Each structure stands twice: as C-alpha cells, then as structure tokens.
C-alpha cells in the first residue's frame, strides 16, 4: 500500500479488506446494524418498501428531499461490495447527498448477496427492483448508477432492462471477468480491493456459469445507449476495464464523460470529508444535474 503515491488525505483511511465466505457471512449483521443507525443529511427522508420479485421479496431504501414531487427524477443506485458485502454507511450517506444535491429520489435495492446467492440472483433482483421503480414512478426521468460490483449491476440494468434508463453513472465499475488487463496484473496488493480479491469474487459470483455468460462488459448494448458518467480510480485493479467499457460505450455511439481520478484507490470515496472525495462527488452530482436538466428542457 505504501509504495503507491496515494493522495495524502486518503492514506489514513486505506486498509485491506478480506474477501472470503466466512467474513461475508459474519460481517452482514454488523453492517446492517451500522447502516441502520448511520445518520444522513437533514431534510432527507429515508423510506423503505417491500418489492415483489420473481424469487420473492426484497427491500428497497428510498431517499428523497422533503416535499419532492412524484414525477421528480430518480437515481436507481446499486451499492458495491464484491456482490457479497452489504452496503456500507458511506453508501447511505452518499445516497442522501445525491438526493439533496441533485434534487432527486434515490432508490437503493437490498439485492441478494454472496456467498449464499450467486449469479444470477443479484442481477435478477436489480432488474426486478428497477422494473418496480419504473412502475411506481412512471413519469420520472431515470438514471441508473452503481459503484464497484454495483457498477456491474448497473450495467446489466442499463443494457437489459425492458425500459432503458435515460442516464448511467458508473463508479469504478466491475466489468470484465476475464481479468487480463494491465491494471489487473499490476494492482495485486492495493487497499480496499485488489486483483487477488477480484479473482475470488468472480469465481464465487459466477458459480456454475461461464465468465462469458456473466460478463457485464459483454452484455448487448441497447439500441439507444444512455449518456454516461464513468469514474475510475488510479491505483485500482479495475482501472483499465472501467476505461475500456467507457470506450466501448463511446465507440458505439454513446456520449460518455470519463473522470480518471488521480491519487485514488478503489473505494476511496469512503473518506467523505476529504477534499478529493468532495471534488469528485461534486462531479457526479454535476453529471446528474446536467442529465436531469437536459431532459427537463426537452420536455418543456
């Protein structure tokens, strides 16, 4: 970790996160408890709904400013965690920030997790929860977003949902199970996430399916590609595949804003109070507001 010129403010937050089945199981009740009691921005409502899916029910968390109109824009957001860890407190705080600063409704599904639920459980939950959200808010502009493994789920939704979202926001996304990029070979020991953990994740997540079957990067793009904001971290094994996916979108006619953050590692935005995180979160909010204002101006 020390050998990388990571931003000075971020270094004190850097730590290694283990990734193996017992840790995923043991951490789940603790993370859920911490998430529950994590405070959020004042003026933001936090509501919960139970959603019917093809495999049962799942919970969705909804964050919205007070008195938000039903037809307001929606950010359908999928948390990261290697398909196995429950949402962290910073996911909850960021959802509230997005809701406040982009003046939108943020919907976060509690999709099923590893090690008990491998592919396609998380994908199906994401698509089913998105379908519910489209029906619940039929007149809203929809953005889909996600970080890390949540970025992979966001890609599935952007490419495979019955109603294509209007915008996509992918934060250091998991994209390619082939794991053959330069950054995947280089960053084997970076904090928070590295190629060693990534290899374990894909083996566990794919289960009985081939990598070709589960690959977000290889999912068929929709006829009209949603405009995209793609953010990648400098010292991250996922750096190159995120960049490659942004290029794929652009090559096929999509409008893409690529933010290559510097001095950063995967999951760096856990350090919400640092200057570098505030600057890049503002870029995400600016991208959302630009997308929301664009569609609103067209409707007028």
């Amino acid at each position: 970790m020390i050998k990388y010129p990571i931003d000075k403010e971020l270094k004190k937050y850097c730590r290694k996160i283990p990734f193996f089945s017992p840790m995923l199981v043991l951490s789940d009740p603790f993370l859920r408890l911490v998430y529950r009691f994590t405070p959020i921005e004042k003026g933001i409502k936090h509501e919960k709904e139970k959603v019917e899916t093809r495999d049962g029910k799942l919970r969705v968390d909804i964050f919205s400013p007070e008195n938000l109109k039903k037809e307001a824009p929606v950010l359908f957001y999928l948390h990261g965690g290697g398909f196995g860890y429950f949402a962290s407190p910073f996911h909850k705080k960021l959802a509230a920030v997005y809701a406040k600063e982009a003046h939108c409704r943020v919907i976060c599904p509690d999709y099923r997790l590893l090690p008990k639920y491998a592919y396609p459980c998380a994908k199906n939950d994401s698509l089913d929860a998105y379908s519910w959200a489209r029906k619940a808010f039929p007149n809203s502009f929809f953005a889909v977003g996600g970080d890390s493994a949540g970025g992979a789920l966001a890609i599935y939704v952007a490419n495979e949902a019955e109603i294509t979202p209007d915008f996509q926001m992918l934060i250091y996304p998991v994209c390619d199970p082939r794991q053959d990029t330069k950054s995947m070979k280089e960053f084997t020991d970076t904090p928070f996430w590295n190629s060693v953990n990534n290899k374990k994740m894909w083996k566990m997540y794919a289960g009985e399916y081939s990598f070709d079957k589960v690959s977000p990067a290889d999912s068929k793009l929709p006829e009209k590609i949603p405009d995209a904001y793609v953010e990648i971290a400098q010292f991250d094994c996922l750096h190159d595949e995120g960049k490659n996916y942004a290029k794929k979108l652009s090559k096929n006619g999509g409008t893409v804003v690529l933010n290559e953050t510097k001095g950063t590692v995967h999951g760096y935005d856990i350090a919400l109070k640092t200057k570098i995180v505030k600057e890049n979160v503002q870029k995400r909010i600016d991208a959302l507001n630009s997308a929301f204002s664009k569609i609103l101006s067209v409707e007028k």
Side-chain angles (χ1 to χ4, degrees), residues 56-212:
K57 290 185 178 181
L58 64 79
R59 191 191 82 222
V60 297
D61 288 7
I62 305 174
F63 302 88
S64 59
E66 298 285 350
N67 302 316
L68 187 71
K69 294 180 179 179
K70 186 170 183 178
E71 63 271 19
V74 171
L75 170 61
F76 183 81
Y77 197 85
L78 297 138
H79 71 82
F83 303 109
Y85 282 112
F86 181 68
S88 296
F90 87 96
H91 285 116
K92 184 178 180 180
K93 291 181 178 180
L94 272 176
V97 169
Y98 296 148
K100 180 181 178 181
E101 300 300 328
H103 201 66
C104 66
R105 183 172 284 105
V106 181
I107 299 176
C108 304
D110 180 18
Y111 58 86
R112 288 172 292 173
L113 300 168
L114 296 172
K116 186 175 182 180
Y117 298 105
Y119 181 89
C121 293
K123 174 182 175 180
N124 288 346
D125 287 352
S126 301
L127 288 166
D128 291 348
Y130 176 78
S131 179
W132 169 85
R134 294 298 310 222
K135 293 173 183 175
F137 304 99
N139 299 316
S140 295
F141 175 98
F142 263 76
V144 63
D147 61 281
S148 192
L153 298 175
I155 290 172
Y156 292 143
V157 172
N159 294 346
E160 300 182 30
E162 187 175 345
I163 304 176
T164 303
D166 305 287
F167 185 74
Q168 53 188 321
M169 184 172 78
L170 308 176
I171 311 300
Y172 40 78
V174 166
C175 297
D176 192 348
R178 285 179 290 260
Q179 304 171 80
D180 58 1
T181 62
K182 179 181 177 182
S183 63
M184 192 61 65
K185 296 171 184 176
E186 181 177 3
F187 299 123
T188 60
D189 59 350
T190 40
F192 294 123
W193 197 248
N194 54 55
S195 58
V196 176
N197 282 350
N198 204 71
K199 185 176 181 179
K200 294 177 183 176
M201 176 200 72
W202 274 119
K203 183 178 181 180
M204 200 183 301
Y205 175 68
E208 62 184 24
Y209 293 89
S210 69
F211 282 167
D212 288 342

